[in-house]
Structures are given as C-alpha cells and as structure tokens.
Amino acid sequence: MQNRITELFKIEFPIVQGGMIWTSGWRLASAVSNAGGLGIIGAGSMYPDVLREHIQKCKKATTKPFGVNIPMLYPDLDKLMDIIIAEDVKIVFTSAGNPKTWTSFLKEKGITVVHVVSSLKFALKAQEAGVDAIVAEGFEAGGHNGRDETTTMVLIPALKEHIQIPLIAAGGIANGKAMLAAMVLGADGVQVGSRFVASNEASNHMNFKQVVVDAKEGATHLTLKELAPVRLVKNTFYNKVQQAYAEGATTEELKALLGRGRAKKGMFLGDLEDGELEIGQVSALIHDIKPAGEIVKDIMSEFNKRKAELSSL
C-alpha cells in the first residue's frame, strides 16, 4: 500500500503507533516497525539517558524506520533534542506545545517532523511552521486531549478542507474498519494508541493491560480540564477527582490531588485504585492482549477485507 504517509516515512503500511508515556518503549516501537508500521518511542516518561538507551536498543532491534514522540512541555527538552540529534533519529513527533519552537531546528538537521493537534486552529499553525505531516487527534483518544472535544469523525474532514500536507487520524482507531473510515474521511494514515497498550511488547503493567481488555463502553471520561484535559479510566482516583469537583476544588487543590508520578503509579506500576489510568474510548472494543506485529497484521487484513466489500457494493 503506497500513499503519502508510506512514502514520507518509508514504511509498508500507513499505521503509526502512538508514542504513549509508560507504554511506548523500544520493544513496542521495534515490533511495530518490523511489522511494517511506524513504531514510536514515547519520550514523555523518560529521563534523557533513558531515552538514549531506548533509541540505541530500538536501532539494534529493527533496521526499519522508527520515530520519537516528544511532548514540548517536557522540562529537559533541550537535552532530549540533543539526544535526538546525537543518535541520528530520522523522525520526530512533537506534541503539547508550539510547533514553531523546534520544527525549523529539526528540519535543518534532516529530520521529518510531525505535530499532534486537536483542532483546525493548531493544524494551520503547524502547517505554517513547516511540519511534514499532522496527527489530528479526536476527543475519543486516551491520555491528554484537546479542550474543544471535537470527535475524530468531525475533525478529520474539517482539517482536510484546509490542510495540504499529509494528515494522520488518531482517536478511536483500533481495527481495520476504523482505519478505513478515517481514510474515507480524508486521512492519509492512522495513529493507533490504545490498541497497542494491550500488546505483549508494551512496557505498561499487566494490570493496566487487563483493565483495557475488561473495559466496557463508558469506562472512561475526559477530566481535569483546568490542568490539562486527560481521558481516564473510572477508578478510585478518578472518583476522588469527581468528589473534588463536587466540593468546588480550586485549580491548586486539583494539582495537589494529582500530585507527582500519578500516571507512573497507575500505568507502569499497576496500581489500579490510586493510579492515573489513561486510555481511549476505543478500549471498549479491545478484547485481548497479543503481539504488536499481529495487531498490525490484523488491522491491515480487516482494512483490506472491508475495502473490498465496499468496492463490491
């Protein structure tokens, strides 16, 4: 399958694995890349030296392209960028910040730059900044999300009317049917996050993987908008957040409740009660844990099957 995304990244299938914190290490990234997609190392939960180690191990585990996702609010951003350059990373996904800050610097080094957005306003800013492609993430997605709550089904065609560069759809995509729908809406490829949380190679705790598999429709909710909107599994910590809202908690009180290391506690260490468990709405459609390579194959197999069925109508 050849299109603007496969050509841009030099990959076989237009499937990008989301660079998720506490989940997307070198094992997951290399497995997805080896299967024909684009694996992404999630630097948001890594100290600089840890990121360097994951990049080096990923290079040994695959000869195929892979990238690194860097949230631009990271406190040691300069150090991460130095490592990106030193380790000769070819593809960088930026998120949670102004794309103008680093895009020119990275592109001058010959790096392909992709920026994650949740609205047309920021998509236009990213395109103006000179990024090579855009990930448009709908309200359904897990983790940190946009404030406008625009769904993927609305966001993709809205951006397609105004964006000339390649467009990658994210949010609510875990199978071939959703991938086909996103591309019919105008996407050139898809970014898949939650489905890869429930993979053998994901670095998050098995307890969290099982929560994803067991999740039903309505198991998640977007909250903490005063800080940074985040979609969470409804657990004890989530209930504490809702109680705080009911009692009229201030922004500072919400920050104190969140504390430090809450996401690590939940997703990486497996505390299902007091940990922060970030996952998308599509978790309701994920029913098993399997190798990442099989997930890529399953998505493409169903995509081709559904595409053929539509063509025969």
Side-chain angles (χ1 to χ4, degrees):
M1 181 177 179
Q2 292 298 306
N3 69 3
R4 295 202 294 175
I5 290 300
T6 58
E7 291 173 3
L8 178 65
F9 298 136
K10 298 178 175 60
I11 55 179
E12 187 176 355
F13 308 125
I15 298 174
V16 176
Q17 163 246 312
M20 302 163 285
I21 62 170
W22 304 116
T23 294
S24 305
W26 69 270
R27 289 184 177 86
L28 178 57
S30 61
V32 171
S33 290
N34 284 332
L38 182 69
I40 302 290
I41 296 172
S45 52
M46 296 181 181
Y47 291 115
D49 287 344
V50 174
L51 174 60
R52 187 190 303 275
E53 178 184 352
H54 277 261
I55 293 171
Q56 291 175 350
K57 288 184 175 180
C58 198
K59 286 180 178 179
K60 292 179 180 179
T62 184
T63 59
K64 297 185 177 183
F66 69 91
V68 174
N69 176 277
I70 299 184
M72 299 178 75
L73 299 179
Y74 190 95
D76 289 323
L77 192 55
D78 290 357
K79 294 179 181 179
L80 293 187
M81 291 300 184
D82 287 343
I83 291 171
I84 292 292
I85 303 305
E87 295 298 329
D88 196 27
V89 173
K90 300 298 186 183
I91 302 169
V92 170
F93 281 55
T94 56
S95 59
N98 187 345
K100 290 184 178 180
T101 310
W102 288 98
T103 297
S104 296
F105 170 83
L106 293 170
K107 287 181 68 66
E108 287 171 2
K109 306 295 183 180
I111 295 172
T112 298
V113 181
V114 183
H115 193 65
V116 182
V117 303
S118 59
S119 69
L120 174 60
K121 173 184 176 181
F122 291 113
L124 292 172
K125 287 186 176 182
Q127 181 172 258
E128 182 183 352
V131 302
D132 296 287
I134 288 170
V135 173
E137 186 176 73
F139 167 69
E140 302 94 326
H144 291 289
N145 215 314
R147 297 182 182 278
D148 295 332
E149 300 189 7
T150 307
T151 64
T152 304
M153 194 167 186
V154 173
L155 186 62
I156 298 304
L159 266 60
K160 190 66 175 181
E161 291 183 4
H162 302 277
I163 298 299
Q164 286 75 51
I165 58 178
L167 181 61
I168 302 167
I173 301 167
N175 52 43
K177 290 182 289 187
M179 177 180 173
L180 179 59
M183 296 182 78
V184 168
L185 290 171
D188 299 291
V190 295
Q191 178 174 283
V192 178
S194 296
R195 184 63 189 94
F196 286 115
V197 169
S199 68
N200 295 351
E201 296 86 353
S203 55
N204 51 272
H205 200 281
M206 180 57 72
N207 290 352
F208 180 41
K209 295 180 187 184
Q210 194 59 49
V211 165
V212 174
V213 170
D214 293 339
K216 307 298 181 186
E217 187 274 327
T220 70
H221 183 238
L222 192 70
T223 188
L224 292 173
K225 293 182 182 180
E226 293 80 358
L227 307 182
V230 61
R231 180 170 295 282
L232 300 178
V233 172
K234 296 175 182 176
N235 64 352
T236 299
F237 168 65
Y238 167 83
N239 291 336
K240 290 179 180 178
V241 171
Q242 298 310 109
Q243 183 62 33
Y245 275 118
E247 295 172 357
T250 65
T251 299
E252 291 304 315
E253 288 171 336
L254 290 173
K255 285 182 180 178
L257 176 59
L258 179 61
R260 290 178 58 85
R262 183 76 70 171
K264 179 180 181 180
K265 186 175 186 178
M267 295 185 284
F268 191 69
L269 299 179
D271 186 335
L272 303 184
E273 297 302 320
D274 288 322
E276 183 179 350
L277 305 177
E278 304 178 9
I279 201 70
Q281 288 183 336
V282 79
S283 54
L285 304 179
I286 299 170
H287 307 306
D288 54 12
I289 301 166
K290 60 173 56 179
E294 288 189 21
I295 293 172
V296 173
K297 291 178 182 177
D298 289 347
I299 292 173
M300 284 309 304
S301 176
E302 185 177 48
F303 172 87
N304 289 324
K305 177 183 177 182
R306 299 301 184 183
K307 184 179 179 182
E309 289 175 350
L310 287 177
S311 297
S312 65
L313 293 178

